[in-house]
Amino acid sequence: MLVLTIDTATADLVTGIVDTTEHTVVSQRIFRENRAHNELLVPTIKEMLAEEGLRLVEMQAMVVGCGPGPFTGLRVGMVTAEALGHSLGLPVHGVCSLDAIGYQLREHATALVATDARRREVYWATYEYGKRAEGPDVVAPESLSVATPAHLSIPEHLVEKLPEFLAEVPRSHLGPTPASLVAVADLQAKPEPLQPLYLRRPDAKEPKQVPRSPAIPEVNKWWSCEG
């Protein structure tokens, strides 16, 4: 089975084609620390397919990272996956992007995965041999309160903001990969509707109700007309 993968939940742009029958990555394009997801995603997919002599109609399923991630970047990947899946009649499987990172740390008994949530916060989850144990959630990095893990994955620019007990934990900076996205997806199950993991409340809030001034008559009474 040829599976097209997409993840735009982190600063990385991740696309790839995985052959689940042969257990191989046919092709992948990973742009690290790239904020141009909207501009690059579709052209990158087209370029990747062309170089392998493949067409979109030859894909048999899709896997897309559903976050957690910032609204704009996450939306690009999920909307693209939904559009392609609908137009091609492909099943689209959504997965937690942190799980795709945690899977890469499955040799560790315990691991903490944290990604940049911006606004001085991180998205995080803990893992035991690659399986999620806690999270995902969002918090300021200095406020992380978990059992000391055997390994930590976090962007380098956030390391100095970690609490002291995590400062000396062996660490790396990993991101989702096409292989790990497919590994954490249940391709045999019927896909559920894609649900983005924003984890934050919307910035836009409904205005508070302002009490009506006694000097303003009720509309119904004002306009009522008898006789």
Side-chain angles (χ1 to χ4, degrees):
M1 177 189 293
L2 292 177
V3 181
L4 178 65
T5 63
I6 295 173
D7 191 285
T8 59
T10 70
D12 300 345
L13 171 64
V14 180
T15 62
I17 301 169
V18 177
D19 186 337
T20 60
T21 303
E22 300 294 333
H23 303 288
T24 59
V25 177
V26 177
S27 182
Q28 67 178 23
R29 298 286 189 281
I30 300 176
F31 296 95
R32 299 293 184 189
E33 298 296 325
N34 189 295
R35 304 290 183 181
H37 296 133
N38 193 41
E39 295 85 353
L40 292 178
L41 179 56
V42 173
T44 298
I45 292 173
K46 289 181 177 179
E47 177 186 281
M48 182 175 58
L49 289 166
E51 288 188 2
E52 297 299 325
L54 294 170
R55 297 176 298 161
L56 275 172
V57 293
E58 295 179 79
M59 301 298 105
Q60 294 160 287
M62 294 183 64
V63 175
V64 60
C66 294
F71 176 79
T72 303
L74 184 56
R75 180 179 58 182
V76 170
M78 295 185 66
V79 168
T80 300
E82 284 185 320
L84 291 176
H86 179 74
S87 63
L88 298 169
L90 294 177
V92 181
H93 301 267
V95 299
C96 174
S97 302
L98 296 181
D99 289 356
I101 300 175
Y103 177 81
Q104 298 172 62
L105 300 172
R106 60 193 181 279
E107 73 273 16
H108 299 288
T110 58
L112 170 63
V113 173
T115 60
D116 191 353
R118 304 179 191 176
R119 304 183 192 176
R120 301 179 182 179
E121 293 180 318
V122 294
Y123 298 116
W124 68 272
T126 62
Y127 294 83
E128 296 176 356
Y129 296 109
K131 298 291 185 180
R132 189 174 355 130
E134 295 181 89
D137 203 350
V138 60
V139 72
E142 58 269 22
S143 299
L144 279 166
S145 179
V146 297
T148 304
H151 194 88
L152 165 66
S153 174
I154 190 171
E156 281 298 321
H157 69 278
L158 294 172
V159 171
E160 63 182 20
K161 299 179 181 179
L162 290 172
E164 186 175 349
F165 79 96
L166 290 174
E168 300 303 321
V169 173
R171 66 177 183 266
S172 55
H173 177 195
L174 301 176
T177 67
S180 65
L181 287 165
V182 170
V184 299
D186 185 356
L187 299 178
Q188 304 305 315
K190 181 180 178 180
E192 298 289 338
L194 297 181
Q195 296 291 335
L197 293 169
Y198 294 131
L199 300 188
R200 284 195 182 111
R201 293 181 179 180
D203 291 332
K205 297 180 180 179
E206 292 185 8
K208 293 182 179 179
Q209 292 291 331
V210 179
R212 180 187 296 274
S213 170
I216 302 176
E218 293 184 19
V219 174
N220 290 340
K221 291 182 179 180
W222 181 264
W223 288 105
S224 65
C225 184
E226 298 180 2

